[in-house]
Amino acid sequence: MSVAAATTLTFLGAAGTVTGSKFLIEIDYGLETQRRILVDAGQFQGEKAWREKNWEEFPVDPRTIDTVILTHAHMDHVGYLPALVRNGFTGLVVCTEGTARLAEIVLRELRASGALGAITDHFGERPLFSLQKSTLRRSAPEY
């Protein structure tokens, strides 16, 4: 087992609000070896100013995230996962079986309902994620 030279925790959501939970753990093992783990991939909800954050450029290239760990299946903890995938995330999604089942239902129902306030911007013009794909997979998710 390698010993980390440095580990950082960055709050990318749910800071200053209770929505949009995303916490990035970066583990640097030295010699250009690094792991990026995202704890939760939550969608910002509530007032327009918070919801608009769902369309801001993600501060880390999703292609460089190795793993997403989901703590539970609320939209403010799983709702941004499709956007991560759309932008190149292909790593593992780790969660309990119950969370996986509920997250799949939450995302599928959201897609099926067309609940504009949840999946699009304030005016319903910009979809947060594609409505073409529907399944949550524990590795290499596709949306």
Side-chain angles (χ1 to χ4, degrees):
M1 174 182 253
S2 299
V3 177
T7 301
T8 59
L9 173 65
T10 306
F11 295 84
L12 302 176
T17 183
V18 296
T19 186
S21 182
K22 296 180 209 67
F23 307 98
L24 182 67
I25 301 169
E26 295 177 283
I27 305 167
D28 183 354
Y29 294 103
L31 303 174
E32 300 180 22
T33 303
Q34 183 177 9
R35 289 196 43 95
R36 284 191 166 144
I37 301 167
L38 188 66
V39 178
D40 286 331
Q43 186 181 99
F44 285 98
Q45 298 175 301
E47 295 180 18
K48 180 181 177 184
W50 291 115
R51 292 191 319 266
E52 287 178 337
K53 291 184 169 294
N54 292 318
W55 288 271
E56 292 178 0
E57 184 175 344
F58 198 68
V60 174
D61 183 348
R63 295 174 295 185
T64 67
I65 298 171
D66 302 295
T67 305
V68 172
I69 299 172
L70 301 177
T71 60
H72 62 283
H74 290 168
M75 282 303 295
D76 63 330
H77 291 260
V78 303
Y80 195 78
L81 188 57
L84 284 177
V85 172
R86 181 190 68 223
N87 290 310
F89 172 71
T90 59
L92 291 175
V93 175
V94 179
C95 58
T96 65
E97 185 175 337
T99 295
R101 287 181 180 180
L102 287 172
E104 183 174 4
I105 292 167
V106 166
L107 294 172
R108 186 183 310 143
E109 288 299 314
L110 178 68
R111 181 193 61 139
S113 73
L116 295 179
I119 62 170
T120 63
D121 69 0
H122 184 66
F123 300 105
E125 297 172 353
R126 295 179 294 172
L128 182 57
F129 59 89
S130 169
L131 299 180
Q132 303 301 313
K133 300 185 181 183
S134 63
T135 60
L136 173 68
R137 299 176 193 242
R138 287 189 215 155
S139 63
E142 298 176 6
Y143 289 91

